[in-house]
Amino acid sequence: MNISNGVKNRAFIFDMDGVLVNSEPVWKSLEHEYFPDLFGKSVADKMPDLIGAGIEGVITLATSLGAIFDRNDVIKKYDEIAQ
């Protein structure tokens, strides 16, 4: 019995934390490249390894370290990098 009325089941798996696709080394490299421009060199130098922190975690940490920046600019840059 086909209960899907002829619609094929399809699924997409997006996994970017190292299980299927290990993108972390690329993110780490790009963060070191862009953080000085986004947050200032002195703040970027204080930022630890941010693997798994996500954009909100990065923004929160940068703010706590005294960075002054436009939140929308940071989000836009992260989107550009991701693409």
Side-chain angles (χ1 to χ4, degrees):
M1 182 170 141
N2 184 349
I3 60 172
S4 64
N5 295 324
V7 176
K8 291 183 179 181
N9 293 327
R10 295 183 178 157
F12 293 92
I13 299 173
F14 294 95
D15 173 37
M16 303 303 280
D17 64 0
V19 176
L20 298 177
V21 177
N22 189 6
S23 63
E24 299 302 346
V26 174
W27 274 109
K28 189 173 184 177
S29 171
L30 290 170
E31 287 173 345
H32 287 292
E33 181 179 338
Y34 288 103
F35 281 179
D37 291 337
L38 293 172
F39 305 122
K41 183 172 177 2
S42 64
V43 170
D45 288 345
K46 296 175 193 171
M47 295 180 90
D49 185 354
L50 296 164
I51 301 296
I55 186 65
E56 291 302 325
V58 170
I59 288 172
T60 299
L61 178 61
T63 301
S64 74
L65 293 172
I68 299 172
F69 56 91
D70 183 311
R71 176 183 166 77
N72 292 328
D73 288 345
V74 172
I75 292 170
K76 181 179 176 185
K77 179 52 80 176
Y78 254 70
D79 287 344
E80 289 173 9
I81 293 168
Q83 289 183 22

